[in-house]
Amino acid sequence: MALDLNKLREDINATDADIVELFKKRMTIAASVAEYKKQNGLPVLDAERERALLSRISDMAGEQFDVYARTLYHTMLDVSRAYQYTKLNSHSEVYEDIKASLNKTGKVFPSRAAVACQGVEGAYSQIAAEKLFELPSIKYFSSFDDVFSAIESGECRYGVLPIENSTAGSVKKVYELMLRHEFHIVRSVRLKIDHNLLCKKGAKLENIKEIVSHEQAINQCGAFLRSLGEVKITIAQNTAIAAKTVADSGRDDIAALSSRFCAELYALDNLVPAVQDMGNNYTRFICISKQPEIYPGADKLSLMMVTGNKPGALYNVLSCFNALGINMTKLESCPIPERDFEFMFYFDFTVSVYSDSLERLLCELEARGERYKLLGAYSEII
């Protein structure tokens, strides 16, 4: 007997209609369960109950459909928990703070401001600041820590910090400092990074014995550096300081990995341009402030969270994003100082600040009792 695809699809449509009605019935019952748990002070998550349910589903599905049925019911349980959390907690204090910040913040991101950057003239942070602001008044500091402190003290309204690179990964030092400082992310920018081998006028590549640069730049140019053979690698605070070091050295056997702008600024030769491993090399910078500022159109959010030190704790948080259809773009773990094997997790995700999904996500996180801090709701310049 020949199969009829149209008839099969009609059968699937009819089956889907039955499944949807049963799903609605199950979610209605889940809402009643949530109300009972609320009245009796019970947590939404009952891990023992869920394990027993999955075991029963596995038995009912049989060997042929066991894995598929458990996959389906893992998702079903995530969605059910998300719905129960919404029923238990329909109000989010953090979301109220977001709305208050939207009302207090101006409609247009400022074109002029006092901006703190790490390094010296020519640093990539300076270039990022000039992309964020039309006329920034830049003040340079020797360390990332000092940039955070300048914001907290009110010395500068904004600070610009590198947070991750598409080749070398996250800037770990900045993530570590996030645990210690109070700040808010108000905007971010992605900057195309080209590292160039800069040296004194007339220097030759075969005579270079030492190369100076920031650790991230060194990591981004690994293949080129290996091609040079035995050269000394010296770490500098940033790429602009590396270029200045070469300019001040008086030597023709030392070079810096830095920007073309620094070649002009410090009167250096661009001996070998664009030596980074990947042509598509970008660094993402965040712009931070002391007070929260949320501008219209913000659709990128960052938060830090400490989850419970127990199996499945992080998974249960991630399931919230999955159930609400919120796209997570970054997950970073940071060890908490003086607390063995405990971590702070950093999340970036995209969702409009006006979206109901955001409010529901924050409601769920608060209902779960998770300790988290919203670092900012902002837009990113590409």
Side-chain angles (χ1 to χ4, degrees), residues 138-191:
I138 298 175
K139 185 168 185 178
Y140 295 101
F141 294 86
S142 61
S143 70
F144 295 142
D145 197 6
D146 289 340
V147 172
F148 278 104
S149 297
I151 303 310
E152 289 175 322
S153 68
E155 185 173 355
C156 293
R157 179 175 174 181
Y158 298 108
V160 174
L161 295 157
I163 192 169
E164 62 178 324
N165 175 265
S166 57
T167 302
S170 299
V171 184
K172 294 291 186 181
K173 184 61 179 177
V174 173
Y175 281 98
E176 292 169 7
L177 291 169
M178 285 181 172
L179 297 171
R180 294 166 33 194
H181 290 279
E182 293 295 323
F183 67 97
H184 298 272
I185 302 174
V186 298
R187 187 147 289 196
S188 63
V189 61
R190 287 202 313 166
L191 189 67

Side-chain angles (χ1 to χ4, degrees), residues 76 89 276 296 337:
M76 186 88 76
N89 188 24
Q276 66 275 5

Side-chain angles (χ1 to χ4, degrees), residues 87-150:
K87 291 296 182 181
L88 286 172
N89 188 24
S90 59
H91 172 78
S92 165
E93 293 182 5
V94 173
Y95 190 71
E96 293 301 318
D97 290 341
I98 289 175
K99 291 195 293 185
S101 294
L102 277 167
N103 290 331
K104 288 190 298 184
T105 306
K107 301 302 181 185
V108 180
F109 193 74
S111 60
R112 302 185 179 194
V115 183
C117 291
Q118 186 267 343
V120 296
E121 189 78 11
Y124 284 113
S125 291
Q126 171 206 327
I127 300 171
E130 290 175 343
K131 193 171 181 180
L132 286 162
F133 302 91
E134 291 179 19
L135 292 170
S137 176
I138 298 175
K139 185 168 185 178
Y140 295 101
F141 294 86
S142 61
S143 70
F144 295 142
D145 197 6
D146 289 340
V147 172
F148 278 104
S149 297

Side-chain angles (χ1 to χ4, degrees), residues 228-301:
L228 298 180
E230 296 294 326
V231 295
K232 179 183 178 182
I233 303 298
T234 301
I235 303 299
Q237 286 181 307
N238 69 25
T239 57
I241 289 176
K244 188 174 186 302
T245 299
V246 170
D248 294 342
S249 70
R251 295 164 50 190
D252 61 5
D253 64 345
I254 186 172
L257 294 173
S258 192
S259 67
R260 291 191 299 272
F261 178 75
C262 281
E264 299 174 10
L265 184 64
Y266 296 108
L268 297 172
D269 273 349
N270 189 348
L271 192 59
V272 187
V275 298
Q276 66 275 5
D277 293 344
M278 305 291 292
N280 189 30
N281 186 36
Y282 286 85
T283 293
R284 181 168 168 252
F285 293 81
I286 54 172
C287 180
I288 63 172
S289 68
K290 183 176 182 178
Q291 301 298 329
E293 298 179 13
I294 303 178
Y295 293 89
D299 60 357
K300 191 176 186 74
L301 292 94

